[in-house]
Amino acid sequence: MSKKLRSLLVIAGFVAVTFVCCACSALFGEDSSSSGLTEAEVIRVVDGDTLLLSVDGERERVRLIGINCPESVAEDESRNTEEGVEASDYTKSILEKGDIVWLETDYNDRDQYERLLRYVWLEEPNDPF
């Protein structure tokens, strides 16, 4: 498989998973008025599936639930891939410093690296469906 095709598949997968996560959250979660969504401000995009956000005045690393992008900023540079850089660039194309997002919790609060695990909404959902 060519690198270009593989890169396009990574990006298409990212978009598809983002849509599915938001749709599943809307279908199976509570409505937004009672779900306890938390407003947060983007400090920076770390990579394709991790954000640094200001949440209630605290800096938090947030791992996007349902998204697993290839590495792009690993300390062991041999783990970083071109596809990971493309996934990171895609996330950076839709989120910028200062943007406001809304966070929705799921079953687990944090991962093994102590990042918050959250669904991230780009717009505050009123009534998703």
Side-chain angles (χ1 to χ4, degrees):
M1 179 181 312
S2 74
K3 283 186 177 184
K4 187 172 184 173
L5 179 57
R6 194 168 47 236
S7 297
L8 289 173
L9 289 174
V10 167
I11 291 170
F14 177 78
V15 172
V17 170
T18 300
F19 174 78
V20 169
C21 287
C22 289
C24 287
S25 175
L27 285 172
F28 300 112
E30 301 173 16
D31 69 37
S32 63
S33 63
S34 63
S35 68
L37 293 175
T38 302
E39 186 175 319
E41 182 178 347
V42 175
I43 296 172
R44 76 181 178 93
V45 173
V46 175
D47 61 18
D49 53 23
T50 306
L51 309 172
L52 183 61
L53 302 177
S54 176
V55 182
D56 296 327
E58 299 290 325
R59 291 169 62 100
E60 290 278 4
R61 290 175 66 87
V62 176
R63 177 70 155 76
L64 303 173
I65 292 177
I67 306 297
N68 188 15
C69 294
E71 294 295 330
S72 64
V73 294
E75 287 184 29
D76 176 0
E77 291 186 18
S78 68
R79 295 179 52 215
N80 296 328
T81 66
E82 182 180 324
E83 294 80 13
V85 172
E86 289 183 27
S88 181
D89 288 346
Y90 176 77
T91 303
K92 289 175 183 174
S93 77
I94 59 173
L95 288 171
E96 297 178 349
K97 180 179 180 175
D99 284 350
I100 300 299
V101 295
W102 287 265
L103 307 178
E104 182 177 355
T105 62
D106 198 31
Y107 298 102
N108 296 317
D109 190 53
R110 294 191 182 263
D111 67 7
Q112 70 268 29
Y113 304 108
E114 290 303 310
R115 297 175 294 190
L116 288 177
L117 295 170
R118 297 292 186 267
Y119 295 103
V120 176
W121 294 83
L122 302 179
E123 296 179 6
E124 184 176 19
N126 293 323
D127 186 12
F129 291 102

